[in-house]
């Protein structure tokens, strides 16, 4: 209940535990023996605790399906428990399960179709290997990673940059429910009423890497939250992986930079488990199943499909990962201009291309 006091975050709670030995002893001294200390900070906490209705706090948490786990209890993420700055408590929604191997996938919010498809395909492959996919439930790559894990009928954990009374981003409410319905969890080290604020997300990123054996960056700008997660991963002794991207894409600059700095370039799960033996230990001596490279996802250019008309073929030949404006397509496609909108619509409905804001079009990557 000490953590329910406004201004008492994980850092200050760790200070209290370090001073009194554990949270129960701290509670006893601050509530039952407030006169035993003259420290103004502790006296202020003691006064706030007297004003706190603990039963009301418990009822509010229960009503929202929010639970608490501490490092000494089963279900607290094993890798996170080993860190010196592990949160003294974690809030969670969902059903705790025995400790499992886990891997983080992070990346840009403004992800490209290529990046989303790569993240989803890789997460699906990892989930099929019974490894938990950890991400931050943000737009873009995070969302694709969670969806990929669910598609692989696996477990995925979402680490929030706010309290669990909030859903951020709000459009991922349904996705969060799907995560919990499939044995996944929502985690936060912030008190439930903590709103999503920019300063909280770096701390969230520390937990994403701390819970995981390694971190995979799919797309990211050179200055981004994903690369902050990489910094934490390196400090924590985690492995760092990167999915290469098109050299003309701004979203490829982060992972391509990491590869130049020594991060392992990956195209599929086998590239990862060769660096993390724990992912294959205890699974028998049989040869690992053959897996597809995420770099070979169908990008809508399979010319063997007979369904495409000659006009559709001409438009597809013009498109790539880089956005192309409808005017440029009209100018260079060598088909009647009045047919262009219809052809583009047909290709979108067939899942071969995607429309971006501003009448821009790119190939749609499908796993």
């Amino acid at each position: 209940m000490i953590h329910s006091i406004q201004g008492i975050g994980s850092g200050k709670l760790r200070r209290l535990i370090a001073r009194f030995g554990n949270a129960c002893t701290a509670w006893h001294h601050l509530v039952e023996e407030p006169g035993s200390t003259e420290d103004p900070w502790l006296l202020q906490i003691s006064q706030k605790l007297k004003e706190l209705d603990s039963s009301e706090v418990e009822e509010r948490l229960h009503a929202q399906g929010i639970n608490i786990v501490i490092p000494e209890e089963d279900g607290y993420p094993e890798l996170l428990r080993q860190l010196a700055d592990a949160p003294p408590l974690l809030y969670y929604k969902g059903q705790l399960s025995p400790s499992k191997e886990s891997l983080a996938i992070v990346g840009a919010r403004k992800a490209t179709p290529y990046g989303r498809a790569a993240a989803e395909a890789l997460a699906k492959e990892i989930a099929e290997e019974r490894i938990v996919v950890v991400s931050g439930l943000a737009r873009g790559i995070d969302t694709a990673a969670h969806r990929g894990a669910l598609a692989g009928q696996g477990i995925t954990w979402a680490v929030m940059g706010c309290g669990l009374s909030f859903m951020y981003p709000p459009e991922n409410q349904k996705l969060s429910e799907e995560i919990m319905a499939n044995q996944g969890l929502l985690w936060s080290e912030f008190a439930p009423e903590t709103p999503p604020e920019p300063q909280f997300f770096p701390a969230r990123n520390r937990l994403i890497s701390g819970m995981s054996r390694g971190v995979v960056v799919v797309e990211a700008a050179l200055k981004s939250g994903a690369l902050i997660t990489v910094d934490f991963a390196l400090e924590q002794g985690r492995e760092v992986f990167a999915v290469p991207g098109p050299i003309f894409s701004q979203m490829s600059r982060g992972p391509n930079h990491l590869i130049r700095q020594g991060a392992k370039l990956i195209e599929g799960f086998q590239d990862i488990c060769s660096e993390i033996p724990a992912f294959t230990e205890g699974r028998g001596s049989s040869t690992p199943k053959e897996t597809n490279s995420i770099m070979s996802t169908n990008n809508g250019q399979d010319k063997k499909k007979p369904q495409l008309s000659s006009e559709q073929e001409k438009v597809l030949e013009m498109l790539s990962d880089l956005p192309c404006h409808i005017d440029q397509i009209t100018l260079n496609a060598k088909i009647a201009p009045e047919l262009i909108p219809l052809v583009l619509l047909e290709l979108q409905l067939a899942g071969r291309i995607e429309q971006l804001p501003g009448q821009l079009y790119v190939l749609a990557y499908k796993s």
Side-chain angles (χ1 to χ4, degrees), residues 220-228 250-251 253-254 257:
L222 283 176
K223 293 183 178 180
S224 64
L227 296 197
I228 292 175
Q250 289 294 316
M251 291 300 101
R253 297 186 69 184
H257 168 76

Side-chain angles (χ1 to χ4, degrees), residues 232-342:
F232 283 123
L234 294 173
E235 292 175 6
Q236 295 162 346
R238 308 303 193 231
E239 298 290 339
V240 176
F241 306 94
V243 175
I247 62 173
F248 298 109
S249 172
Q250 289 294 316
M251 291 300 101
S252 296
R253 297 186 69 184
N256 291 355
H257 168 76
L258 291 174
I259 291 168
R260 288 195 297 272
Q261 296 300 311
K264 178 158 185 177
L265 182 155
I266 64 165
E267 297 182 354
F269 175 72
Q270 292 306 317
D271 297 325
I272 296 171
C273 65
S274 65
E275 299 294 321
I276 304 181
F279 284 173
T280 54
E281 289 173 356
R283 299 194 182 196
S285 57
S286 59
T287 303
K289 67 179 182 180
E290 182 178 349
T291 56
N292 295 322
S293 163
I294 59 174
M295 304 303 295
S296 62
T297 52
N298 178 7
N299 65 359
Q301 300 186 81
D302 185 355
K303 301 297 193 299
K304 296 180 181 179
K305 292 188 177 181
Q307 297 88 343
L308 294 179
S309 66
S310 61
E311 291 84 3
Q312 291 170 338
E313 290 275 11
K314 290 176 181 178
V315 170
L316 281 179
E317 287 174 356
M318 293 192 58
L319 297 179
S320 66
D321 303 314
L322 300 178
C324 184
H325 194 271
I326 189 173
D327 290 345
Q328 186 178 355
I329 298 171
T330 303
L331 182 64
N332 298 319
K334 298 181 181 179
I335 61 178
E338 62 270 18
L339 293 179
I340 294 294
L342 176 61

Side-chain angles (χ1 to χ4, degrees), residues 14-319:
R14 274 195 297 272
R15 283 175 55 191
L16 284 172
I17 292 174
R19 176 158 183 164
F20 294 104
N22 56 60
C24 289
T25 303
W27 174 276
H28 176 78
H29 277 271
L30 294 172
V31 175
E32 304 297 334
E33 302 179 20
S36 61
T37 178
E38 296 181 358
D39 188 321
W41 179 61
L42 294 178
L43 290 173
Q44 185 179 26
I45 296 175
S46 175
Q47 181 59 41
K48 290 182 177 180
L49 284 174
K50 290 180 180 179
E51 301 169 358
L52 188 67
D53 185 341
S54 59
S55 61
E56 190 274 333
V57 173
E58 291 178 358
E59 289 175 4
R60 189 165 66 247
L61 292 178
H62 179 73
Q64 298 179 72
I66 300 173
N67 299 286
I68 295 174
V69 64
I70 61 175
E72 294 76 17
E73 296 177 328
D74 292 337
Y76 192 98
E78 181 61 32
L79 293 173
L80 189 61
R81 178 189 286 130
Q82 300 169 12
L83 300 181
D85 62 346
L89 63 83
L90 286 173
Y91 298 92
Y92 69 91
K93 279 186 173 184
Q95 186 65 43
L96 287 181
S97 59
S99 181
K100 298 179 182 294
E101 291 294 344
S102 53
L103 185 75
I105 298 179
V106 298
R109 288 174 170 81
K110 297 180 179 179
T112 68
Y114 162 80
R116 293 194 301 272
E120 188 166 340
L122 181 58
K124 181 176 183 291
E125 192 178 352
I126 292 168
E128 289 172 343
E129 297 290 338
R130 302 186 305 281
I131 295 168
V132 176
V133 175
V134 184
S135 200
L137 203 66
R139 300 179 179 97
I141 296 301
D142 289 17
T143 293
H146 292 304
R147 293 195 185 282
L150 294 173
Q153 298 184 341
I155 295 174
T156 181
W157 291 349
V159 186
M160 309 294 288
C162 58
L164 295 182
S165 294
F166 292 86
M167 174 47 57
Y168 185 82
E171 64 266 27
N172 274 349
Q173 177 65 47
K174 183 178 179 181
L175 176 58
S176 71
E177 293 169 0
E178 292 177 11
I179 289 172
M180 291 184 286
N182 288 275
Q183 303 181 54
L185 289 160
L186 307 186
W187 295 102
S188 178
E189 69 172 319
F190 302 107
E193 294 78 17
T194 305
E197 298 288 349
Q199 66 268 25
F200 298 143
F201 288 93
R204 181 275 304 269
N205 295 345
R206 164 183 127 266
L207 297 191
I208 290 175
S209 59
M211 291 181 179
S212 311
R213 290 280 182 192
V215 173
V216 179
V217 179
V218 178
E219 285 189 318
L222 283 176
K223 293 183 178 180
S224 64
L227 296 197
I228 292 175
T229 308
V230 168
D231 290 339
F232 283 123
L234 294 173
E235 292 175 6
Q236 295 162 346
R238 308 303 193 231
E239 298 290 339
V240 176
F241 306 94
V243 175
I247 62 173
F248 298 109
S249 172
Q250 289 294 316
M251 291 300 101
S252 296
R253 297 186 69 184
N256 291 355
H257 168 76
L258 291 174
I259 291 168
R260 288 195 297 272
Q261 296 300 311
K264 178 158 185 177
L265 182 155
I266 64 165
E267 297 182 354
F269 175 72
Q270 292 306 317
D271 297 325
I272 296 171
C273 65
S274 65
E275 299 294 321
I276 304 181
F279 284 173
T280 54
E281 289 173 356
R283 299 194 182 196
S285 57
S286 59
T287 303
K289 67 179 182 180
E290 182 178 349
T291 56
N292 295 322
S293 163
I294 59 174
M295 304 303 295
S296 62
T297 52
N298 178 7
N299 65 359
Q301 300 186 81
D302 185 355
K303 301 297 193 299
K304 296 180 181 179
K305 292 188 177 181
Q307 297 88 343
L308 294 179
S309 66
S310 61
E311 291 84 3
Q312 291 170 338
E313 290 275 11
K314 290 176 181 178
V315 170
L316 281 179
E317 287 174 356
M318 293 192 58
L319 297 179

